[in-house]
Amino acid sequence: TILENVELALTIAGMEKNERLEKARMVLDRVGLAGQYNKKPNQLSGGQCQRVAIARALALNPKILLCDEATSALDPKTTHDILKLLKQIKERYDITIIMVTHQMEVIKEVCDEIAILNDGKLLEVGKTDELFVSNNSSLKELTNEEEILPKSGINIKIYFPKESSNHTLITKMARDLNIDFSIVWGKLERFKENTLGSLIINIDDNNVKKQQV
């Protein structure tokens, strides 16, 4: 049963029978599996099985929780539910969670920092929103994103951190400089509770010369 599944980790850790039963029930309750203690894993959905695995890990009071592709086989709704659970666990237990994943949306939704690995080599480390918004070369290669930009004029990339993502920056620039420009590439994305993004604008050569004069 899933109760015995969680209890096994505590048995290996040397905990007494009554204490480990109480602890196993408590962590199963906290991951949303209250009252389902006697079910077998093959009676559960994929998301519920992931909850059992999380409960088994939490039962040992870890300082670090390692989630290796925890959402790779789940549908979008179940993925969202598991990520929500992990965020709640992080806040409740004040533990570090390490996510190993190839899913960019998972990183954006829950991760504070990101480390990009390739062939065992560490290519980049930094805050998640900063690396995505700046679209650095390591991340660009990983996501296979390509910016198709005009060959003429001047292309200027503008970043929108959380402090200015809702400001009317583009309108203000056009009004203050009294020039026309085209938006040739851009994206706005959600990172946890914030909306961040970047735009590339193109200014034609005539407007550039006008500003120089």
Side-chain angles (χ1 to χ4, degrees), residues 166-180:
N166 294 319
H167 295 180
T168 56
L169 178 63
I170 301 298
T171 305
K172 188 176 187 306
M173 284 175 55
R175 185 171 57 243
D176 292 350
L177 297 174
N178 192 28
I179 62 173
D180 296 322

Side-chain angles (χ1 to χ4, degrees), residues 17-67:
K17 176 73 174 177
N18 290 339
E19 186 181 358
R20 67 176 183 254
L21 279 173
E22 181 181 352
K23 186 66 177 290
R25 290 192 185 101
M26 181 186 72
V27 291
L28 284 169
D29 291 351
R30 288 184 177 173
V31 299
L33 294 173
Q36 303 192 55
Y37 311 135
N38 294 320
K39 285 189 176 181
K40 299 290 182 68
N42 62 7
Q43 296 175 289
L44 303 178
S45 67
Q48 289 174 320
C49 285
Q50 290 290 48
R51 290 173 184 268
V52 175
I54 293 169
R56 187 172 60 242
L58 285 179
L60 297 172
N61 300 318
K63 292 182 179 179
I64 298 175
L65 184 63
L66 174 61
C67 299

